[in-house]
Amino acid sequence: MSRPLDRHRRFIASLEALADRQDRGALAALRRGLGKKPGEVADLYPYVLPWLPSTASPREENAYVLVAGLFALHPHSWHPRDDEGRSNLGASFARLMASDGSPSIEKRFVALLNCHLDDLPAHLRSAVGLLKAHEIPIDWAQLLSDILGWHWDTRAVQREWARAFWGQSAAQAGAPGAGDTITDQPQSVA
């Protein structure tokens, strides 16, 4: 049996193949799924359902549909082999912060970390739009894995994203506290 991240990478490879051959119809079908309730856009299923395990839960199906739509919006992949270290969404935001430096980037990132699972699709659409505008790649397989692991009880995904964002940007800037511990306490965004 394959590991989930391997299955996610094969799914993303199938989406990358659509982008590589410039299958505009397929990518448009995937984008139409963004912001819709599960099942409302049936023409995206041929590109998603074959990659789901037969025992997939509705949450897993929704995560695959969400990532497929987000990928179709910004088909610029960051593979772990492209860079040493983390390649999660926090690392993509760290790249954005390094290239732009706007304080609003950090505020948007904190809002993303603090969002509830029900609000995650809207926050991710906004985040991916921002990364697309600055041509920052995303590790799509890792994002899919992270969406499936988004829990409020452990907040493990949120902590990993925070480590990738502040750990890299703080280390690059030589800021004190680059190795400080990140707590589970959500911070408010002013």
Side-chain angles (χ1 to χ4, degrees):
M1 188 162 139
S2 69
R3 296 178 329 165
L5 193 54
D6 292 338
R7 186 176 60 246
H8 301 324
R9 291 200 192 292
R10 287 192 302 275
F11 172 60
I12 298 306
S14 76
L15 298 177
E16 290 170 337
L18 294 174
D20 289 346
R21 68 176 184 261
Q22 299 179 7
D23 190 334
R24 294 177 6 172
L27 295 172
L30 295 173
R31 280 191 304 273
R32 279 193 297 277
L34 289 172
K36 305 283 193 220
K37 292 181 182 174
E40 285 186 6
V41 182
D43 55 340
L44 61 78
Y45 283 145
Y47 309 106
V48 176
L49 293 183
W51 300 98
L52 285 167
S54 60
T55 58
S57 68
R59 180 176 178 194
E60 191 169 7
E61 181 180 326
N62 293 343
Y64 271 69
V65 167
L66 174 61
V67 168
L70 293 171
F71 175 88
L73 181 65
H74 177 45
H76 189 47
S77 296
W78 175 5
H79 297 282
R81 66 182 175 275
D82 292 346
D83 195 17
E84 295 299 319
R86 294 180 174 95
S87 62
N88 60 32
L89 202 63
S92 291
F93 263 82
R95 282 184 172 190
L96 176 60
M97 189 68 167
S99 72
D100 184 289
S102 170
S104 67
I105 293 169
E106 185 172 1
K107 288 181 181 182
R108 288 178 75 171
F109 183 66
V110 169
L112 176 61
L113 291 177
N114 284 330
C115 80
H116 188 273
L117 179 62
D118 294 340
D119 301 321
L120 188 58
H123 281 271
L124 286 174
R125 278 194 309 276
S126 176
V128 168
L130 182 61
L131 294 169
K132 176 183 178 180
H134 291 84
E135 299 181 12
I136 304 294
I138 297 170
D139 183 341
W140 292 105
Q142 184 63 54
L143 180 60
L144 177 54
S145 181
D146 289 347
I147 291 169
L148 291 168
W150 193 269
H151 299 290
W152 274 94
D153 54 346
T154 63
R155 297 184 54 80
V157 169
Q158 294 92 321
R159 287 194 320 263
E160 281 300 312
W161 288 10
R163 283 184 189 101
F165 180 77
W166 284 289
Q168 288 181 2
S169 60
Q172 290 168 351
D180 289 352
T181 303
I182 297 170
T183 66
D184 286 339
Q185 300 300 318
Q187 298 181 11
S188 63
V189 177

